[in-house]
Amino acid sequence: MAKNKKIDDELHLLAARRLRAAGMRYSKSRKAIVEVLASAGRPLTLDEVLDFQSDKTLAQSSVYRNSTELVEAGILKCLASGKDHNRFELDDSIIGHHHHFVCLDCGDIEDFEVPEYLEKEILALEAELVKKGLSVEGHTLDIQGRCHQCS
Amino acid sequence: MAKNKKIDDELHLLAARRLRAAGMRYSKSRKAIVEVLASAGRPLTLDEVLDFQSDKTLAQSSVYRNSTELVEAGILKCLASGKDHNRFELDDSIIGHHHHFVCLDCGDIEDFEVPEYLEKEILALEAELVKKGLSVEGHTLDIQGRCHQCS
DNA sequence: GTTCGTGCAAATACTTTGCACGTAT
DNA sequence: ATACGTGCAAAGTATTTGCACGAAC
């Protein structure tokens, strides 16, 4: 628990620093959103963020507005999700690069990691595209299927 | 051109067969949608589908309704797309398995293919997950960046 | 005290649906 | 004749925005 506390502190310091760098404040609402996402440990829709906050005090509009801003500051990442709404999670630069298993039925997402060598080959592929003159920012490797619940 | 004509014919025959198998008809609207997507050669939003049809006769509601149905019949695939709306393309079983380069600025998507060996490793990864009891349907490997236009 | 963030409510955008009519079988 | 598909307009959701107030610098 002490350990997690420490990680949390670092998370918030980092978030505060990045927002400051972008000329924004790390307000109570923004902190609450980061907190919810950190403790969920998986990508959440904005509805879920609203639901999961302990003291239901965030206004919907604040969650929408802040999620956009936190993405711009590089603290959150927005995941496309064919089904239902978009989902948000802490940025790779914070929780580390990883990939997603997406349930086709319920839309839920779980993280998983990929063998080193595979990751490297994907990076090589990116390099190829750069050679062809495209500017590359990153990649997404998702697996789709049904989660334990739904299958 | 004769060649393309032939491919088109096959496409429509295939689509008709699949719809029939699902108890649906290959109506004029549905054919128009498939046609637009086939000639675009890249994933389109429903707005784009509406725009690109030669004789603007499709109703918006028909495009929405039919896109859902064509997905169910296995003719179209719906792509999540963090930015803007969802996009649709012909199913992998029709145009072959491939991957997407997604422009972070304009949201546009281009297809690209991936070396055989990489594809195989991803399949091996899927097999791993199946061993862990998940049911796996497929994967997505996208590269994000900026297209020639936007960079 | 000025700038930035907030909640609320209104506005906008997106998608789905009900219904009466048309078309294909 | 029947089942299925269509357009239109209305309803339903989701998301964004304007504004006046409050909090942080």
Side-chain angles (χ1 to χ4, degrees), chain B residues 26-132:
Chain B
Y26 196 36
S27 67
K28 197 173 156 227
S29 305
R30 290 174 187 162
K31 188 166 180 179
I33 294 172
V34 168
E35 203 121 68
V36 168
L37 286 172
S39 59
R42 66 189 179 80
L44 299 181
T45 63
L46 294 184
D47 277 350
E48 287 173 326
V49 172
L50 277 163
D51 277 0
F52 290 7
Q53 45 160 336
S54 35
D55 49 346
K56 318 257 173 188
T57 129
L58 291 179
Q60 197 184 38
S61 61
S62 297
V63 174
Y64 273 95
R65 256 192 291 239
N66 284 327
S67 61
T68 307
E69 289 162 341
L70 290 168
V71 168
E72 274 164 19
I75 296 165
L76 300 190
K77 196 168 75 169
C78 172
L79 308 178
S81 118
K83 231 186 148 52
D84 66 27
H85 320 208
N86 286 343
R87 284 164 188 274
F88 291 82
E89 67 176 357
L90 296 177
D91 190 78
D92 279 7
S93 64
I94 296 177
I95 53 171
H97 179 63
H98 60 278
H99 298 274
H100 294 127
F101 177 87
V102 183
C103 177
L104 293 169
D105 282 346
C106 67
D108 242 47
I109 302 186
E110 291 174 42
D111 296 353
F112 73 88
E113 289 184 18
V114 145
E116 188 72 17
Y117 62 84
L118 184 47
E119 202 65 49
K120 276 191 185 148
E121 280 167 12
I122 295 173
L123 292 179
L125 183 60
E126 290 183 13
E128 286 289 310
L129 293 176
V130 170
K131 259 190 226 160
K132 288 186 186 159

